[in-house]
Amino acid sequence: RVWSVLTDFTAYARWNPFVLRAEGTPEAGAWMTLEVARPRGRTRVFRPMVLMVAAPSQLRWLGRLWLPGLLDIEHTFLIENGDGGPVRFVQRARIEGFVALCLRHRLESELLGSFEAMNHALKRRVEHASGPSGENGAN
């Protein structure tokens, strides 16, 4: 169920406080359009490329700010099987590039809060959904 909700990009606007809009398909090599929330109510739109899809356990994409090497953020989502119990959901970001050298602490701090908000919302969505991708509109 976590994988189903995570990869239902069209539903992100209904539950995800971090990725406000997501367009694209979870296929390696596909380009996505994401609108993400930033501090103080601002948003940013970027077009990452999906690097890896290993259903139902891993999704990775790479977003860049303008040019390669300026600011590259590889975002990884992991769903670890709980051996019959709850699953563990992990988000990671690898931040690299010239801008990262100057703003790493600020970027990591912003991302951590955003990741935590998304993780909590994902948990609520999965726990309250009646179908595999939350068709009942629960938040």
Side-chain angles (χ1 to χ4, degrees), residues 40-118:
R40 295 177 291 281
R42 295 179 297 164
T43 64
R44 176 172 302 264
V45 175
F46 69 103
R47 290 192 33 90
M49 175 189 273
V50 177
L51 299 176
M52 174 189 241
V53 178
S57 60
Q58 188 174 163
L59 173 64
R60 285 188 334 187
W61 62 59
L62 175 64
R64 289 195 162 123
L65 182 62
W66 299 304
L67 302 168
L70 191 57
L71 178 63
D72 301 337
I73 301 177
E74 184 176 312
H75 198 141
T76 302
F77 301 94
L78 297 170
I79 301 169
E80 299 172 346
N81 189 341
D83 293 327
V87 299
R88 181 173 180 231
F89 180 73
V90 178
Q91 284 194 70
R92 292 188 188 132
R94 191 180 83 225
I95 304 169
E96 297 180 340
F98 179 74
V99 172
L101 295 173
C102 305
L103 300 175
R104 180 175 305 279
H105 180 71
R106 182 173 142 207
L107 289 168
E108 288 174 349
S109 146
E110 286 179 12
L111 285 175
L112 180 61
S114 298
F115 286 8
E116 287 175 350
M118 180 178 168

